[in-house]
Amino acid sequence: RDRSFAVSNAMMFMLGFVLLGSTLLIPLFAQTMMDYPATNAGLALMPGGFLILSSMPLVGFLLSRNFDPRYMMAFGLTMVSVALFYMTRFDLYIDFWTLATARMLQGCGLGFLFVPINTVAYSYLPPEKNNQASGIINLARNVGASVGISIVTTMLARRGQFHRDRLAAHLDSANSTVQTMLDGARATFQARGVSADGAQQAAYNMLQGNLQRQSDMLSYIDNFWMLGLATLLLIPLVMLVRKPKRGGRMHAH
């Protein structure tokens, strides 16, 4: 019956969905598509984590001065959406800082979401219901995280297969570009001492590897589009939240 609490739970569900979904995708992309070791993939996430931590005190300060948390939520969702749409421009040749910058943009937005969402969720609830409310809102975030991880991993597999089928349809013997690439690869392998049969097989293996990498890259882009669009569609929900009472309590769970 509490509109602000209901909307906050929906937003916390989607926050877990987007946060954990993208947290899974970015290091997976770095390790499988860019051949980063696990340490470097983690380092690409680290600046974004620092931004989340550093923005929290600013958010708390603004809320203590009765700054409307709805504006913070709108700003945070906009930044997260911008970061995810920025990730749709990734390719197989981006550098480390392009990856880190995308995560930093996302971290900047996430820092403006956690505390404001909790603040509006509890603003009109009776104090005696805070414990039950805390359990519900944490459940929403955890379920959202699980659903997000499940959906992005499923989409990676299904969209990857879809793009493989579409790209493979152009790889036939009548395609002069394909033949030119195979002939060039075969000549290169033979120049390195590989037998004619071996060079032919190696050229086809290289073509298959390129097909796999490009289709996987497109499946990551599809996931980033999906997460960015899901975040963008949350912004109108902010308008359904009632403005918290002036001088009210701040909560964080």
Side-chain angles (χ1 to χ4, degrees):
R1 292 193 297 267
D2 189 308
R3 187 177 71 217
S4 294
F5 183 70
V7 173
S8 296
N9 272 278
M11 296 185 69
M12 193 60 80
F13 175 91
M14 291 304 301
L15 184 60
F17 182 102
V18 173
L19 174 60
L20 270 296
S22 60
T23 301
L24 167 73
L25 286 175
I26 294 174
L28 190 62
F29 171 81
Q31 293 181 73
T32 60
M33 305 301 296
M34 302 176 65
D35 296 325
Y36 279 20
T39 300
N40 288 355
L43 289 174
L45 296 177
M46 188 172 65
F50 283 137
L51 261 181
I52 295 175
L53 290 175
S54 60
S55 62
M56 289 286 189
L58 173 61
V59 173
F61 173 79
L62 292 174
L63 288 173
S64 69
R65 297 297 186 271
N66 293 313
F67 193 87
D68 194 332
R70 295 176 298 180
Y71 296 141
M72 297 188 195
M73 292 159 61
F75 171 78
L77 290 170
T78 301
M79 288 299 296
V80 172
S81 182
V82 167
L84 288 164
F85 285 130
Y86 175 74
M87 294 177 196
T88 63
R89 302 176 62 186
F90 283 0
D91 56 43
L92 296 172
Y93 306 102
I94 62 171
D95 60 14
F96 175 88
W97 284 109
T98 300
L99 194 63
T101 299
R103 186 62 174 182
M104 289 168 68
L105 286 172
Q106 190 183 36
C108 180
L110 290 170
F112 281 82
L113 289 174
F114 286 105
V115 177
I117 289 176
N118 278 285
T119 298
V120 299
Y122 293 91
S123 57
Y124 287 92
L125 289 179
E128 64 272 12
K129 293 188 177 181
N130 281 350
N131 289 336
Q132 296 93 323
S134 175
I136 293 173
I137 202 165
N138 279 287
L139 174 65
R141 184 180 65 243
N142 291 333
V143 172
S146 300
V147 172
I149 291 172
S150 299
I151 288 180
V152 297
T153 52
T154 301
M155 274 194 66
L156 273 180
R158 293 187 178 181
R159 295 300 294 177
Q161 182 62 53
F162 169 80
H163 288 298
R164 277 194 296 276
D165 293 342
R166 293 290 298 274
L167 293 176
H170 301 280
L171 301 180
D172 58 64
S173 57
N175 191 319
S176 60
T177 303
V178 174
Q179 286 303 315
T180 300
M181 191 276 286
L182 289 173
D183 291 341
R186 184 166 52 247
T188 300
F189 286 122
Q190 284 184 301
R192 295 179 180 178
V194 181
S195 66
D197 290 341
Q200 179 78 4
Q201 185 61 46
Y204 279 112
N205 289 341
M206 188 176 72
L207 178 62
Q208 172 64 24
N210 286 336
L211 172 66
Q212 183 70 44
R213 281 170 58 79
Q214 294 293 338
S215 59
D216 288 345
M217 181 72 248
L218 291 171
S219 70
Y220 277 99
I221 291 175
D222 288 348
N223 268 282
F224 292 136
W225 269 112
M226 181 267 293
L227 293 174
L229 183 61
T231 306
L232 190 64
L233 293 176
L234 285 178
I235 297 177
L237 282 181
V238 176
M239 300 299 104
L240 298 178
V241 175
R242 291 188 291 174
K243 183 177 181 179
K245 301 172 185 176
R246 183 174 293 274
R249 296 158 293 132
M250 288 192 299
H251 299 271
H253 293 268

